[in-house]
Amino acid sequence: MSFENTARHNAAVRGYILRMLVRGYRYTLAVRRISNDLVRNSMVLEPDIWEPLKYLYDMGFIEFTDKNITPDNAYIQDGVARLTTKGVQFIENGDYEEAGIDL
């Protein structure tokens, strides 16, 4: 896969995660549920989705309900992700192409 295709795919995965969180109760979902949907739809091969979670976490778009959870251990610890106010504003204002997220 070329660099551009990989970048597009990663942006699509990040956008899918954000769209799933919007549909969750109070913008919140279990990381395993998100991961299972991504695997079921053949968007990722491995269920541990720490890379897109870390990207979204570092951008300030998501947080975890437990302060001991990080993007690296969210799948193993069965963490719960939640959209932040910044994440909701990002979604409401439309996509920002340079953010690396395809809504």
Side-chain angles (χ1 to χ4, degrees):
M1 195 181 294
S2 72
F3 176 75
E4 290 176 357
N5 288 340
T6 301
R8 268 191 236 114
H9 178 263
N10 291 340
V13 169
R14 294 179 200 123
Y16 190 88
I17 292 170
L18 290 180
R19 288 191 306 275
M20 283 193 70
L21 287 170
V22 167
R23 292 181 299 207
Y25 178 69
R26 294 188 182 189
Y27 302 124
T28 304
L29 278 176
V31 170
R32 288 196 182 193
R33 179 166 179 206
I34 296 167
S35 175
N36 289 341
D37 277 8
L38 287 168
V39 170
R40 188 177 320 114
N41 291 321
S42 301
M43 294 187 76
V44 297
L45 299 175
E46 294 290 324
D48 191 0
I49 54 170
W50 71 272
E51 290 173 318
L53 290 177
K54 181 158 178 43
Y55 187 93
L56 296 171
Y57 182 80
D58 289 345
M59 292 286 287
F61 294 152
I62 66 168
E63 62 187 6
F64 298 98
T65 57
D66 184 349
K67 299 299 177 195
N68 296 325
I69 302 293
T70 64
D72 299 332
N73 67 11
Y75 182 78
I76 296 166
Q77 298 287 332
D78 203 18
V80 177
R82 170 178 43 219
L83 276 176
T84 62
T85 305
K86 184 178 178 182
V88 173
Q89 290 172 347
F90 174 78
I91 292 168
E92 289 176 350
N93 292 334
D95 64 344
Y96 179 61
E97 195 171 306
E98 292 184 26
I101 301 170
D102 183 14
L103 293 177

